[in-house]
């Protein structure tokens, strides 16, 4: 996308909002004139629903200065990057995001005077924002980008993943979130629930609207499992609605809302009660009985938590109540007040299709759970009994009966089910599968704590049933084979369920778990990441009657794809830093009177020499951690932050190396082709076609003799610079950068061809005594090349030196090779800068038919700085400047230090996931180079260093 396009869309949305509200007024006035108007107030606000960048445009419209007050009070976004663009490459786009988010942050602050006196409520105090992410299948906008943290306070909005949405439970691709039926239906019902039935208007109260969103979208699982998932307080769901009653002492008691009144059971219709004597309770049929569990007895020895999974419908199929102990103060209250129904704490989870019975008693597999119920010690405090009431089986006629009912509950100690999986254990599973064994009578809820986030290392988790007590069932030994064991275990054990919790993206549920790749949409190891983002909690709900073998393995290819997906902005920023470090090495070699190394050589040395790797790659990371301490910011996960950053730096070096190799191949092919044609040119001189071409050139000499053409030919660099700047300022920055790239390409090509030709003449002259190299034609052709280029003419050796020096061919070839390496480094840097504008120029081409507008000033100014860098540093001798002023001694300004600072700036920009800020460094280097050149000219220092004065101490 492009920043200017987003701004235009924002203005259009503001216009559309005003048009919609005005239409209501026009329609009301028309009905009034006809006498058909009804009483009631006109709508004063609209609800905005935006997808992708449309959601950000909706937020930008809210703070637009022309938007009417309170015209937008509710915003719902789908897969919208709120924090920053997915890959923040264009400077104006990143600046626009930062400006809008800054105004939103200020909009939720109380307005005060300079003395701290209260003036008014926050400007955005009436605005509620809810962000829905597509989770791990959305490869364009990750969940971290859709977060509203530090932009919208938790009292006015929240982010929820589609995998944690009630009645959705699915991860979806970036476009699929628009048409996924489960999500569309749930969002539609949510928007309709925001309307007050009495007034026909959205609820004016902010907390009321936020409560509706939480009730309709959130499942409630994360709130009930927050202690198990280590859920931060600001991430917790809004409590389930409760009714307030008072006990005999007058203290307020909060009780969950009971089942709807239209679903009523007759307690007298229940068969005789069952009293459970063990920690586990199992329901395999809708028998119409009530199970009594003694909390004090069954919950002893640390087993203070109760969990139940079932496929029975809450309220209509199963109900749960808490009963106080007799003789307590609450016993004087009526029975309905003493008994608390907690069925509403049961949470629905997705489940696979239940097996059907062809006839009664023919059930072959246990039904999968569709709901989970959890009670902690604080929930059961003050109560003695827990009852599980099961409805009688409904009458079925004309179709096969449903699958057998299932409910399994257990009092357990959660500590017994904890499994800590260390980083070493996870890394070992990349090359060898690791197994975990769950014996029978294990806890129903098994907690797996992965030390490395599954958003970075996706885990393939498989559960295989290895036993379910069949050897104690009285069957002969030969009948207890694998097939029989599998059949009986499927009949007895319900399919496992995995609940994966991630601090960034929330809840992910994997029903009917057999073998699944567990992945969460987390982005750990960023500078702004919290300590919780490093870990992932997976809660397995497995049948305690059965034993399982759990296999864990990590796919290296899946981990690599996740790394490139999550950290592509960091890799882009590091790539720019790598190029700056390479230019620094080249400029430093020039200042030491050494040969300029190639780009590939210096990029390789960044990784092979510890003296370069530590100050360039490791030191900035430690400095960023030190800055976090100074700014009182939470530190990121130390080990993962350093390791992932270094891996991304290595990836960036590889990307730059590949780019260099491809460019080398292009230059080599172009040079060989050029030389081949040049050597065959004399053979074509006798051809009639050659004389025809020469005649056309002579006839066109009159055109080239014009004064304007002669001026342009005499100043090609100035023409190129003006053309590039005009294109960058009036059309699009990419076109100006392309002109600069063409200039670099022709200069590199000419220098490489010159080096090849001199090497060829020298080699053939040494190996073949009869070989004659036409020095005159060669020198004239080279002079013509450098005259056309207009930048390297000063480095061309004199004809006298060329003809008299025995080593003249060698020194001239080395000169051209140094020129090639220097200009090739600038080409790589500016090629990366051009590639950063690729998304913007694609959007520019797509909107050509809609009208044109000038580029944003920020983009144009920075691109002009890049163009100045390419022009003012076209020669390697401009890597250092000798400047002198009146009263100030001569000062030697070396460009390699400026490159080092620019590289560090780009490195920190990558750590903050804002690679577009590296463009500031490129523009600053260009501005500094231009200022040094102008200062040098103003001080009358026109003498330039030439290659003839340099001494090379190394051998070739």
């Amino acid at each position: 996308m492009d920043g200017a396009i987003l701004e235009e869309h924002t203005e259009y949305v503001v216009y559309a909002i005003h048009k919609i509200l005005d239409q209501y007024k026009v329609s009301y006035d028309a009905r009034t004139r006809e006498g058909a108007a009804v009483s009631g107030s006109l709508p004063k606000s609209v609800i905005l629903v935006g997808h992708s960048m449309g959601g950000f445009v909706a937020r930008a419209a809210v703070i637009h200065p022309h938007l009417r007050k309170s015209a937008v009070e509710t915003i719902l976004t789908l897969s919208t990057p709120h924090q920053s663009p997915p890959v923040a490459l264009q400077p104006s786009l990143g600046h626009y995001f930062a400006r809008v988010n800054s105004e939103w942050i200020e909009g939720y602050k109380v307005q005060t005077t300079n003395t701290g006196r209260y003036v008014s409520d926050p400007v955005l105090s009436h605005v509620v924002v809810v962000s829905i992410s597509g989770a791990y299948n959305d490869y364009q906008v990750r969940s971290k980008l859709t977060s509203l943290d530090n932009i919208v306070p938790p009292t006015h909005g929240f982010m929820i993943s589609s995998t944690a949405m009630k009645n959705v439970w699915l991860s979806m691709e970036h476009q699929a979130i628009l048409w996924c039926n489960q999500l569309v239906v749930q969002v539609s019902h949510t928007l309709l629930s925001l309307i007050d039935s009495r007034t026909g208007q959205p609820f004016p109260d902010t907390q009321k609207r936020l409560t509706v969103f939480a009730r309709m979208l959130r499942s409630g699982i994360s709130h009930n499992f927050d202690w198990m998932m280590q859920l931060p307080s600001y991430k917790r769901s809004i409590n389930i609605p409760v009714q307030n009653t008072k006990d005999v002492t007058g203290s307020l008691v909060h009780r969950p809302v009971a089942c709807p009144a239209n679903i009523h059971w007759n307690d007298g219709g229940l068969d005789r009660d069952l009293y459970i004597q063990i920690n586990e309770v199992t329901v395999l049929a809708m028998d119409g009985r009530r199970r009594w569990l003694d909390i004090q007895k069954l919950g002893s020895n640390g087993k203070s938590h109760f969990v139940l999974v079932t496929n029975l419908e809450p309220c209509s199929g199963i109900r749960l109540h808490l009963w106080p102990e007799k003789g307590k103060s609450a016993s004087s209250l009526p029975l309905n007040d003493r008994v608390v129904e907690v069925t509403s704490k049961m949470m629905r989870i997705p489940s696979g299709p239940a097996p059907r019975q062809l006839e009664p008693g023919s059930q072959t597999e246990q039904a999968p759970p569709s709901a989970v119920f959890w009670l902690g010690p604080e929930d059961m405090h003050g109560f003695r009994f827990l009852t599980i009431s099961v409805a009688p089986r409904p009458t079925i006629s004309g179709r096969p009966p449903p699958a057998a009912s299932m409910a399994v509950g257990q009092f357990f100690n959660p500590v017994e089910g904890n499994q800590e999986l260390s980083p070493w254990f996870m890394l070992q599973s990349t090359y060898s599968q690791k197994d975990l064994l769950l014996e029978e009578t294990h806890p129903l809820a098994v907690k797996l704590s992965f030390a490395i986030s599954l958003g970075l290392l996706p885990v393939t988790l498989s559960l295989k049933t290895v036993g379910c007590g069949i050897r104690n069932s009285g069957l002969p030994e030969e009948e207890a084979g694998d097939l029989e064991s599998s059949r009986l275990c499927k009949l007895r054990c319900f399919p496992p369920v995995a609940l994966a919790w991630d601090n960034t993206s929330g809840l992910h549920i994997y029903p009917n778990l057999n073998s699944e790749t567990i992945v969460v949409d987390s982005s750990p190891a960023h500078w702004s990441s919290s300590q919780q983002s490093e870990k992932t909690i997976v809660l397995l709900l497995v049948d305690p009657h059965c034993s399982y073998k759990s296999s864990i393995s990590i796919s290296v290819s899946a981990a690599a794809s996740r790394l490139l997906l999550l950290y592509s902005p960091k890799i882009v920023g590091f790539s720019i830093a790598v190029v700056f470090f390479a230019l620094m090495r080249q400029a430093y070699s020039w200042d030491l009177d050494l040969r300029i190394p190639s780009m590939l050589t210096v990029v390789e040395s960044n990784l092979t020499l510890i003296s370069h790797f530590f100050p360039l790659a490791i030191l900035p990371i430690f400095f960023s951690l030190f800055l976090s301490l100074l700014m009182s910011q939470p530190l990121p996960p130390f080990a993962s932050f350093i390791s992932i950053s270094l891996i991304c730096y290595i990836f960036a070096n590889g990307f730059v190396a590949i780019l260099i190799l491809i460019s080398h191949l292009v230059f080599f092919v172009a040079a060989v082709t050029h030389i081949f044609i040049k050597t065959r040119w004399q053979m074509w001189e006798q051809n009639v076609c050659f004389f025809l071409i020469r005649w056309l050139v002579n006839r066109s000499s009159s055109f080239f003799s014009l004064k304007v053409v002669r001026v342009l030919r005499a100043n090609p660099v100035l023409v190129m610079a003006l053309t590039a700047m005009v294109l960058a300022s009036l059309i699009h920055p990419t076109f100006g950068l392309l002109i600069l790239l063409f200039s670099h390409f022709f200069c590199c090509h000419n220098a490489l061809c010159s080096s090849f030709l001199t090497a060829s003449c020298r080699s053939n002259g040494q190996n073949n005594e009869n070989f004659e190299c036409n020095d005159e034609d060669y020198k004239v052709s080279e002079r013509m090349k450098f005259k056309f280029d207009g930048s390297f003419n000063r480095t061309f050796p004199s004809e006298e030196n060329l003809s008299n020096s025995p080593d003249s061919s060698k020194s001239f070839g080395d000169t051209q090779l140094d020129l090639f390496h220097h200009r090739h480094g600038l080409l790589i840097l500016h090629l990366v800068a051009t590639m950063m504008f690729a998304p913007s120029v694609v959007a520019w081409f797509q909107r050509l038919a809609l009208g044109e507008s000038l580029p944003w000033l920020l983009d144009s100014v920075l691109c002009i700085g890049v163009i100045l860098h390419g022009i003012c540093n076209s020669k390697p001798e401009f890597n250092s400047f000798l400047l002198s002023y009146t009263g100030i001694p001569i000062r030697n300004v070396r460009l390699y230090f400026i490159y080092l600072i620019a590289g560090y700036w780009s490195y920190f920009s990558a750590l903050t996931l804002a690679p577009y800020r590296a463009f500031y460094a490129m523009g600053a280097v260009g501005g500094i180079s231009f200022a040094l050149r102008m200062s040098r000219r103003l001080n009358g220092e026109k003498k330039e260093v030439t290659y003839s004065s340099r001494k090379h101490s190394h051998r070739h």
Side-chain angles (χ1 to χ4, degrees):
M1 288 296 292
D2 183 87
I5 296 177
L6 290 185
E7 190 174 41
E8 292 178 4
H9 288 182
T10 301
E11 294 176 354
Y12 173 77
V13 169
V14 172
Y15 167 79
I17 292 172
H18 293 166
K19 193 69 174 179
I20 292 172
L21 295 177
D22 291 341
Q23 285 296 106
Y24 283 106
K25 182 68 168 58
V26 172
S27 177
Y28 181 82
D29 293 340
R31 292 196 306 270
T32 301
R33 289 193 298 268
E34 297 174 359
V38 296
S39 60
S41 60
L42 293 174
K44 298 181 180 179
S45 66
V46 298
I47 298 176
L48 295 183
V49 180
H51 170 251
S52 190
M53 285 296 182
F56 181 80
V57 168
R59 286 205 303 116
V62 172
I63 60 173
H64 197 278
H66 296 160
L67 184 69
R68 299 174 188 172
K69 185 178 181 180
S70 301
V72 177
E73 295 184 337
T74 304
I75 300 177
L76 178 68
T77 65
L78 306 173
S79 293
T80 293
H82 292 289
Q83 298 290 335
S84 65
V87 183
L89 300 179
Q90 186 191 17
S92 62
L93 181 60
H95 175 75
Y96 188 59
F97 261 80
R99 181 172 65 84
V100 171
N101 287 339
S102 176
E103 292 189 27
W104 269 76
I105 295 173
E106 293 296 326
Y108 283 109
K109 295 181 179 179
V110 177
Q111 304 297 312
T112 59
T113 61
N114 295 332
T115 59
R117 184 178 179 182
Y118 173 82
V119 176
S120 63
D121 292 332
V123 178
L124 300 179
S125 59
H126 60 285
V127 180
V128 169
V129 185
V130 173
S131 175
I132 301 176
S133 70
Y136 52 85
N137 280 333
D138 192 341
Y139 297 112
Q140 297 185 39
V141 180
R142 279 81 63 195
S143 295
K144 185 177 181 64
L145 298 179
T146 64
S147 173
L148 297 172
D149 293 346
N150 301 323
I151 299 176
V152 178
T155 56
H156 288 78
F158 60 86
M159 186 274 286
I160 186 172
S161 172
S162 60
T163 58
M165 282 182 60
K166 185 187 300 183
N167 299 328
V168 179
W169 311 111
L170 296 173
S171 175
M172 53 200 67
E173 184 261 339
H174 188 66
Q175 299 297 330
I177 198 171
L178 291 173
W179 51 259
C180 176
N181 185 64
Q182 292 97 314
L183 187 137
V184 170
V185 170
Q186 193 67 21
V187 168
S188 301
H189 290 172
T190 302
L191 295 177
L192 292 175
S193 301
L194 293 173
I195 307 302
D196 190 346
S197 58
R198 296 173 298 177
T199 62
Q201 305 288 339
F203 291 111
D205 182 63
T206 301
Q207 293 304 312
K208 178 65 175 179
R209 279 179 279 136
L210 193 64
T211 302
V212 171
F213 274 119
R215 175 173 53 86
M216 297 295 294
L217 299 181
R218 283 177 165 168
S219 62
I221 293 181
S222 58
H223 171 70
N224 288 272
F225 285 25
D226 56 358
W227 66 273
M228 199 74 169
M229 304 293 190
Q230 298 178 352
L231 183 64
S233 59
Y234 65 91
K235 293 274 187 179
R236 295 177 184 174
S237 304
I238 295 178
N239 291 338
I240 300 175
V242 295
Q243 60 181 4
N244 299 329
T245 59
K246 292 184 178 180
D247 58 13
V248 68
T249 61
S251 60
L252 194 63
V253 179
H254 301 278
R255 297 178 178 177
V257 175
C259 291
N262 58 341
I263 303 178
H264 178 69
W265 286 13
N266 184 7
D267 293 340
L270 294 175
D271 292 342
R272 61 184 180 85
D273 296 345
L274 297 177
Y275 293 89
I276 307 302
Q277 303 298 323
I278 58 177
N279 295 328
E280 299 171 1
V281 56
T282 304
V283 178
L284 296 179
M286 298 181 70
D287 53 9
R289 293 187 176 186
R290 179 166 52 196
R291 279 83 173 163
W292 287 79
L293 293 88
D294 191 333
I295 297 174
Q296 182 176 347
K297 176 182 177 182
L298 303 180
S300 58
N301 298 325
K303 299 181 178 181
S304 56
H305 290 78
F306 178 80
V307 62
L308 179 139
V309 294
T310 180
N311 71 329
L312 299 174
E313 288 291 327
C315 293
S316 62
I318 189 172
R319 291 186 175 183
L320 297 98
H321 297 79
L322 290 173
W323 299 69
E325 186 177 0
K326 292 183 178 180
K328 300 296 181 182
S329 59
S331 61
S332 58
L333 295 175
L335 180 64
N336 293 336
D337 291 336
R338 288 190 290 117
V339 179
V340 178
E341 182 173 357
V342 290
T343 310
S344 59
K345 294 180 68 67
M346 187 174 294
M347 298 149 289
R348 304 295 298 269
I349 60 176
S351 63
R356 307 292 297 181
Q357 288 179 325
L358 298 179
E359 59 183 18
S362 65
Q363 179 70 29
T364 58
E365 294 184 13
Q366 187 64 269
S370 60
V372 59
F373 175 82
W374 193 287
L375 288 178
E378 66 283 355
D379 299 315
M380 295 181 288
H381 180 71
F383 297 95
R384 177 62 186 271
F385 296 100
L386 170 66
T387 60
I388 304 174
S389 303
V390 182
R393 177 181 295 274
T395 303
I396 303 295
S397 62
R399 58 177 179 172
S405 305
M406 181 277 297
V408 178
Q410 183 190 54
F411 282 94
F412 76 104
N413 184 356
V415 178
E416 298 176 357
N418 287 353
Q419 296 281 348
E420 297 287 341
L421 305 181
S422 64
W424 178 243
F425 177 90
M426 297 184 66
L427 294 177
Q428 283 183 320
S429 64
T430 58
Y431 57 86
S432 64
Q433 182 174 282
K434 296 297 180 180
D435 297 331
L436 296 176
L437 187 62
L438 299 178
E439 301 287 351
E440 294 182 13
T441 68
H442 58 75
L444 193 153
V446 177
K447 176 184 175 183
L448 302 180
S449 299
F450 291 89
I452 302 178
S453 172
L454 300 188
L456 184 60
L457 295 180
V459 167
T460 300
L461 179 64
S462 60
L463 286 175
K464 181 181 179 181
T465 307
V466 295
C468 53
I470 59 174
R471 296 188 182 277
N472 297 328
S473 60
L475 292 175
E477 185 71 22
E478 60 273 7
E479 295 185 12
D482 292 339
L483 295 178
E484 186 68 15
S485 174
S486 176
R487 184 184 68 83
L488 292 177
C489 289
K490 287 183 178 180
L491 180 62
R492 187 178 187 186
C493 310
F494 65 82
V497 178
L499 287 78
W501 170 258
D502 177 71
N503 184 61
T504 302
S505 57
L507 184 68
H508 306 262
I509 299 181
Y510 298 86
N512 295 20
L513 181 64
N514 182 19
S515 179
E516 294 285 347
T517 300
I518 308 296
V519 56
V520 297
D521 194 22
S522 176
S523 299
H526 287 314
W527 196 355
S528 58
S529 300
S530 60
Q531 294 289 339
Q532 292 81 4
S533 64
E534 189 178 16
K535 298 182 179 180
T536 300
I537 305 297
V538 176
L539 190 66
L540 296 178
L541 301 178
V542 285
D543 200 315
H545 303 99
C546 309
S547 59
Y548 297 87
K549 184 177 74 171
S550 174
S551 300
I552 297 175
S553 62
I554 295 177
S555 172
V556 177
S557 60
S561 62
R562 290 294 300 178
L563 178 71
L564 295 177
L565 175 67
L566 297 176
Y567 303 102
S568 55
K570 183 177 289 189
I571 295 175
V572 172
F574 283 160
S575 300
I576 303 174
V578 168
V579 177
F580 272 124
F581 293 152
L583 293 177
M584 176 201 68
R585 296 284 307 282
Q586 287 186 335
Y588 185 73
S589 298
W590 172 271
D591 289 334
L592 294 181
D593 286 342
L594 302 175
R595 290 288 306 280
I596 295 181
S598 66
M599 286 291 292
L600 189 60
T601 301
V602 293
V603 169
E604 289 178 351
S605 67
N606 288 338
L607 299 178
T608 56
L609 299 178
I610 192 63
S611 59
H612 297 141
F613 187 76
F614 177 80
L616 299 182
I618 300 178
L619 190 61
I621 298 177
F622 285 101
F623 186 71
S624 65
L625 297 175
F626 179 70
L627 287 179
S628 298
L629 292 176
L630 291 181
M631 296 184 294
S632 301
Q633 293 182 353
L635 288 174
F638 188 76
S640 60
F641 176 65
I642 295 178
S643 59
I644 296 300
S645 297
L646 294 180
I647 291 174
C648 291
Y649 182 77
I650 295 174
F651 266 91
N653 279 269
F655 169 74
V656 174
I658 292 174
L659 198 62
I660 293 172
L661 289 174
I662 294 175
S663 63
H664 275 173
L665 178 62
V666 172
F667 282 120
F668 180 81
V669 172
V672 170
T673 304
H674 186 161
I675 294 173
F676 176 80
I677 296 175
K678 184 179 181 67
T679 56
R680 296 299 187 271
W681 186 257
Q682 292 182 358
M683 299 174 57
W684 300 339
E685 287 184 350
Q686 305 301 326
N687 196 318
V688 178
C689 181
F690 174 80
F691 290 103
L692 180 61
I693 295 175
R694 176 172 290 182
W695 179 80
L696 292 175
V697 172
N698 293 334
R699 298 292 296 178
S700 62
S701 61
S702 59
F703 170 77
F704 291 103
S705 63
L706 296 177
K707 184 176 181 179
V708 176
V709 177
R710 285 189 286 110
V711 171
L712 295 179
R713 294 183 64 189
N715 300 278
V717 176
L718 179 61
V719 174
M720 182 272 295
L722 292 178
T723 304
M725 291 180 183
V726 169
L727 292 177
S729 303
L730 302 181
I731 299 180
H732 195 276
T734 305
F735 299 106
L737 294 177
L738 287 176
I739 298 296
L740 181 63
L741 291 181
F742 286 140
S743 173
H744 290 329
F745 179 83
F746 284 120
C747 292
C748 290
H749 174 72
N750 290 335
L752 191 61
C753 289
S754 301
S755 177
F756 280 6
L757 283 172
T758 53
S760 176
C761 290
R762 172 187 162 196
S763 175
N764 289 326
Q766 292 177 354
N767 299 331
N768 188 359
E769 296 178 358
N770 298 324
F771 179 82
E772 294 182 2
C773 185
N774 193 338
D775 289 341
E776 293 298 326
D777 293 341
Y778 177 73
K779 287 181 284 187
V780 171
S781 65
E782 293 305 324
R783 234 185 345 262
M784 289 177 62
K785 287 182 182 181
F786 285 99
K787 185 177 180 181
F788 172 79
D789 177 66
S791 59
F792 294 131
N793 51 356
R794 297 179 182 272
T795 63
F796 189 85
S798 65
E799 295 183 13
E800 181 180 357
N801 292 335
L802 184 63
S803 59
N804 297 332
S805 175
D807 270 348
S808 59
S809 62
K810 177 181 177 180
S811 96
F812 180 74
D814 294 342
T815 299
Q816 300 308 304
L817 196 58
D818 279 353
L819 295 176
F820 171 78
H821 291 157
H822 170 76
R823 203 63 179 257
H824 184 238
L826 297 180
L827 172 68
I828 295 299
L829 176 64
H830 299 154
L831 177 60
V832 175
T834 306
M835 294 170 61
M836 293 177 66
F837 276 100
S840 176
V841 75
V842 170
W844 182 86
F845 277 112
Q846 291 176 347
R847 64 189 296 269
L848 280 178
L850 302 178
E852 300 182 11
S853 60
L854 294 177
W856 272 27
L857 181 62
L858 177 62
D859 293 341
S860 299
V861 170
L862 292 177
C863 284
I864 290 175
V866 174
I867 295 171
L868 291 176
H869 177 220
I871 296 172
C872 298
N873 292 90
S874 57
K875 301 180 184 180
E877 48 262 39
F878 292 140
N879 286 326
S880 61
F881 293 85
L882 294 175
L883 302 179
S884 62
Y885 297 93
T886 303
I888 300 178
I890 296 177
R891 184 76 176 176
N892 193 358
V893 180
R894 303 189 181 276
L895 200 61
Y896 75 85
F897 182 75
I898 299 175
Y899 284 145
L900 177 63
I901 300 300
Y904 278 148
W905 174 270
S906 303
Y907 200 103
F908 287 119
S909 300
L911 292 178
T912 57
L913 300 184
Y916 69 90
R917 295 178 183 171
F919 232 101
Y920 300 157
M922 297 185 196
V925 171
I928 293 173
S929 301
F930 179 75
L932 292 175
R933 287 291 301 274
M934 292 299 102
S935 177
R936 184 175 185 175
R937 287 181 178 271
L938 292 176
N939 283 273
E941 296 179 11
K942 299 182 179 180
K943 183 179 179 180
E944 299 181 0
V945 181
T946 63
Y947 263 98
S948 58
S949 64
R950 299 195 59 204
K951 297 180 180 180
H952 301 288
S953 59
H954 54 280
R955 300 180 61 185
H956 304 281

